Amino acid sequence: MKTYRELLVARSGHGTSLRELDPGFSPIGCDKAASVEEVERDGLRLRRQQYLLYAGHARSLLICLQGLDAAGKDGTIGHVFTALNPQGARVHAFKVPSTLEADHDFLWRVHQQVPAKGEIVIFNRSHYESVLVDRVHHVVPSDVVNERYDLINAFEETLALSGTVVLKFYLHMSEAEQLRRFKRRLEDPSRQWKISESDYTERALFPQYLEAYEELLFRTNTKHAPWFVIPADRKWFRNLAVCKIVVESLEQLKMKLPKATVDIKDIERRYHAAHRAEKRGNGA
Amino acid sequence: MKTYRELLVARSGHGTSLRELDPGFSPIGCDKAASVEEVERDGLRLRRQQYLLYAGHARSLLICLQGLDAAGKDGTIGHVFTALNPQGARVHAFKVPSTLEADHDFLWRVHQQVPAKGEIVIFNRSHYESVLVDRVHHVVPSDVVNERYDLINAFEETLALSGTVVLKFYLHMSEAEQLRRFKRRLEDPSRQWKISESDYTERALFPQYLEAYEELLFRTNTKHAPWFVIPADRKWFRNLAVCKIVVESLEQLKMKLPKATVDIKDIERRYHAAHRAEKRGNGA
């Protein structure tokens, strides 16, 4: 049986059209109720792996979540990554660059947010926005976009070589599903505050974004930092797939608890001495 | 009936000895099984408040966790604050200052980590270490320690006036309980890697640390940034108390969802138009 990693890793080689990949896909026999339970159970595996990562203090994990508006980036965080211990895990959402950030190269602010040893960081949007928004809105000329793919690959290789596992998820949602989700947001008073004018103007550019994603998947799907294309029309399958791929990726590192750095026997002897002293103190 | 805030807030006025407060306290009729369930249920209240805080983008929450080794700072995070959505909540653990940090005033690195609007930040150890470790080990003279209390109060007032709710928790554990916990760590192979020589040398200074805590509780328990003394010998009560105080503090802000910033009716009209266009497209 294929692992989720094998099943959903982006194809290398050009010519793979996202239009040929069904955003509503889920494997035969895989249903909602069972998946929700499975994600719950896998939360424990995830937390176990996080503990080993934290204790080992040698490796780290960077997760990049990408997808169009309403593709489910926030939802994935809320459903899958709440299983993590907040100590040692962090979400960073990249917003419009500040003046200071805009005065530097496009990877400057990103580099500052990568995980430290033992840490897990989730990027909600990432450096990939600079080959998406900037490309679709012609903020930079196409040769600059081209150059950025190579710079991104070199950057991610730097991270990987220093022990960071880099996993990149493209949440693949259909245009029809996006419209349905926007509608549901409109009808839900608790979420109306989130709605902005740009959600609607960007929607018109759906095909251009899809094309930009196809190009970046082709250019930046590397061995040290693979892309996974996650069918995202069904939220429960999206959660299951992301969760499984993260767990599989960590478990294949076969991390072990580090050895004690002190002489446990010696410490034990001192403990017993302290304990006896305390008892005598109470008896006096 | 008293709220947990009222019950556990540190007394103002001098002369309150920590030795008179029972680290094993829990209210009559409050048992372990019910408390564990209660914390689980309150997780939903906490998450609801976090959502309002995030949406409102006006207030923020800073939680300082302090206590001696093994008092349960990590445990509180693992049991109470995992209920938070990792998006918008962050734990920061202060370690030994870097050279760059040591080249600045003692609040410099702390200020950089305070929560942004809408955010919750938990400090695992905090700026209070500079009136604890530095005092007990005579790193700085006592007039500097004295001065720092005032500087800390001014700093926290700055935060409070800009909309940050500051809650400070001292996890109050007995010396005997610390010894028991150290012993359990020694016997648990999955936690032996954590044990360091300094755990044991610091233990000898328990009375000095207690005295330093008494002093700082007296000097820095303010209206805009109150201290709570949490009986911490019983882990389940510690979790319940911290959880309740955080929930109560957020609920008393009576936060509401912000209004929509766009004309929902207008957007709805445009949606229906988009929907019709899509249908025609499919039919063609």
Side-chain angles (χ1 to χ4, degrees):
Chain A
M1 216 176 95
K2 272 189 179 182
T3 62
Y4 279 79
R5 276 181 65 96
E6 290 163 348
L7 186 68
L8 298 171
V9 69
R11 306 279 151 74
S12 295
H14 214 178
T16 308
S17 167
L18 281 174
R19 302 213 175 261
E20 288 163 22
L21 296 171
D22 178 11
F25 170 84
S26 64
I28 294 161
C30 181
D31 70 37
K32 183 174 173 175
S35 293
V36 170
E37 269 179 44
E38 185 84 1
V39 169
E40 190 114 334
R41 264 198 307 275
D42 281 343
L44 295 175
R45 282 169 74 189
L46 190 55
R47 201 148 158 164
R48 166 82 187 150
Q49 290 300 314
Q50 182 189 11
Y51 185 72
L52 292 173
L53 189 83
Y54 180 79
H57 200 75
R59 310 297 305 257
S60 60
L61 173 62
L62 174 62
I63 293 168
C64 297
L65 284 180
Q66 286 287 156
L68 292 172
D69 286 340
K73 298 181 291 294
D74 294 352
T76 305
I77 293 168
H79 285 92
V80 178
F81 297 117
T82 37
L84 294 170
N85 187 329
Q87 179 143 276
R90 179 164 60 83
V91 176
H92 188 82
F94 288 95
K95 306 273 166 70
V96 177
S98 70
T99 318
L100 180 66
E101 288 169 348
D103 279 350
H104 292 80
D105 70 82
F106 78 106
L107 292 171
W108 184 75
R109 65 175 187 153
V110 180
H111 212 153
Q112 292 176 35
Q113 297 297 338
V114 300
K117 283 177 184 171
E119 202 183 18
I120 297 176
V121 171
I122 297 137
F123 282 176
N124 185 347
R125 301 187 185 275
S126 66
H127 42 299
Y128 284 97
E129 292 296 315
S130 53
V131 288
L132 285 162
V133 182
D134 287 5
R135 177 190 152 127
V136 168
H137 288 280
H138 307 289
V139 176
V140 294
S142 63
D143 55 332
V144 171
V145 173
N146 257 309
E147 206 171 62
R148 284 184 178 175
Y149 297 127
D150 297 332
L151 298 173
I152 286 175
N153 288 338
F155 169 63
E156 291 174 352
E157 196 175 354
T158 306
L159 302 181
L161 289 176
S162 80
T164 304
V165 175
V166 183
L167 302 174
K168 303 179 295 195
F169 295 99
Y170 166 60
L171 304 182
H172 184 42
M173 166 194 60
S174 66
E175 221 171 325
E177 178 64 18
Q178 188 188 44
L179 195 64
R180 273 193 294 276
R181 291 185 186 177
F182 276 165
K183 191 160 187 302
R184 253 176 269 139
R185 258 190 218 175
L186 271 172
E187 287 161 355
D188 178 356
S190 82
R191 293 195 294 163
Q192 286 179 352
W193 65 275
K194 274 193 197 181
I195 296 170
S196 77
E197 195 58 38
S198 73
D199 296 353
Y200 307 97
T201 48
E202 287 297 285
R203 213 185 104 69
L205 299 166
F206 199 102
Q208 285 89 325
Y209 272 107
L210 216 58
E211 202 181 294
Y213 268 111
E214 281 176 355
E215 181 75 11
L216 77 82
L217 285 171
F218 169 60
R219 295 292 300 270
T220 62
N221 186 33
T222 57
K223 215 186 148 183
H224 53 260
W227 273 106
F228 298 93
V229 178
I230 307 294
D233 275 9
R234 295 176 179 177
K235 294 176 182 177
W236 57 268
F237 182 66
R238 171 202 76 200
N239 292 340
L240 180 72
V242 171
C243 182
K244 288 285 184 195
I245 290 168
V246 173
V247 169
E248 286 170 2
S249 303
L250 288 174
E251 286 181 349
Q252 75 180 27
L253 298 179
K254 300 195 188 307
M255 293 182 286
K256 290 209 173 69
L257 280 172
K259 299 248 176 295
T261 54
V262 292
D263 179 348
I264 296 290
K265 286 281 160 218
D266 174 55
I267 297 270
E268 260 179 348
R269 266 191 301 273
R270 281 192 270 162
Y271 260 153
H272 291 306
H275 196 59
R276 278 194 302 273
E278 204 144 292
K279 262 184 160 169
R280 271 198 305 275
N282 289 340
Chain B
M1 217 178 92
K2 274 189 176 179
T3 62
Y4 279 80
R5 275 181 67 94
E6 289 162 347
L7 185 69
L8 297 171
V9 70
R11 305 280 151 72
S12 294
H14 214 180
T16 309
S17 166
L18 280 175
R19 301 211 176 262
E20 287 162 23
L21 297 172
D22 179 11
F25 171 84
S26 66
I28 294 162
C30 182
D31 69 37
K32 183 173 173 175
S35 292
V36 170
E37 270 180 42
E38 186 83 2
V39 169
E40 191 112 333
R41 264 198 307 276
D42 281 343
L44 294 174
R45 280 168 77 191
L46 190 56
R47 200 146 159 166
R48 166 84 186 145
Q49 290 301 314
Q50 182 189 11
Y51 185 72
L52 292 172
L53 188 85
Y54 180 79
H57 201 73
R59 311 296 304 257
S60 59
L61 172 62
L62 174 62
I63 292 168
C64 298
L65 284 181
Q66 284 287 157
L68 292 172
D69 286 339
K73 300 181 290 295
D74 293 352
T76 305
I77 294 168
H79 285 94
V80 178
F81 298 118
T82 35
L84 295 169
N85 187 331
Q87 180 143 273
R90 177 164 60 84
V91 176
H92 188 80
F94 289 96
K95 305 273 167 70
V96 177
S98 70
T99 318
L100 180 66
E101 288 169 348
D103 280 350
H104 291 80
D105 70 83
F106 78 106
L107 293 171
W108 184 73
R109 65 174 187 155
V110 180
H111 212 152
Q112 292 177 34
Q113 296 298 337
V114 301
K117 283 177 183 170
E119 200 183 19
I120 296 176
V121 172
I122 297 137
F123 282 175
N124 185 347
R125 301 188 185 274
S126 66
H127 42 300
Y128 283 97
E129 292 295 314
S130 53
V131 288
L132 284 162
V133 181
D134 287 5
R135 178 191 152 125
V136 169
H137 288 281
H138 308 290
V139 176
V140 295
S142 64
D143 57 330
V144 171
V145 173
N146 256 311
E147 207 171 63
R148 284 183 179 176
Y149 297 127
D150 297 332
L151 299 172
I152 286 174
N153 287 338
F155 169 64
E156 290 174 353
E157 196 175 354
T158 306
L159 302 181
L161 289 176
S162 81
T164 304
V165 175
V166 183
L167 303 174
K168 304 178 294 196
F169 295 99
Y170 166 61
L171 305 183
H172 184 40
M173 164 195 61
S174 65
E175 222 172 325
E177 178 63 20
Q178 190 188 42
L179 195 63
R180 272 193 293 277
R181 291 184 186 178
F182 275 166
K183 192 159 185 307
R184 251 176 270 138
R185 256 190 220 176
L186 270 173
E187 287 161 356
D188 178 354
S190 82
R191 292 195 295 162
Q192 287 179 351
W193 64 274
K194 273 193 197 180
I195 297 170
S196 76
E197 195 56 39
S198 73
D199 295 354
Y200 307 97
T201 49
E202 287 298 284
R203 213 186 104 69
L205 299 166
F206 198 103
Q208 285 89 326
Y209 272 106
L210 216 59
E211 202 182 292
Y213 269 112
E214 280 177 356
E215 182 73 14
L216 79 82
L217 285 171
F218 169 59
R219 296 290 300 272
T220 62
N221 186 33
T222 58
K223 214 185 147 183
H224 52 260
W227 272 107
F228 298 92
V229 178
I230 307 295
D233 275 10
R234 294 176 179 177
K235 294 176 182 178
W236 57 267
F237 182 67
R238 171 203 75 199
N239 292 340
L240 180 72
V242 171
C243 182
K244 288 287 183 194
I245 290 168
V246 174
V247 170
E248 286 170 3
S249 303
L250 288 174
E251 286 182 349
Q252 75 180 24
L253 298 177
K254 300 193 188 308
M255 293 182 285
K256 291 209 172 68
L257 279 172
K259 300 248 176 292
T261 53
V262 293
D263 179 348
I264 296 289
K265 286 280 160 221
D266 174 55
I267 297 270
E268 259 180 349
R269 266 190 301 275
R270 280 193 272 161
Y271 260 153
H272 290 306
H275 194 60
R276 278 192 302 274
E278 205 143 292
K279 262 183 159 172
R280 271 198 305 276
N282 289 340

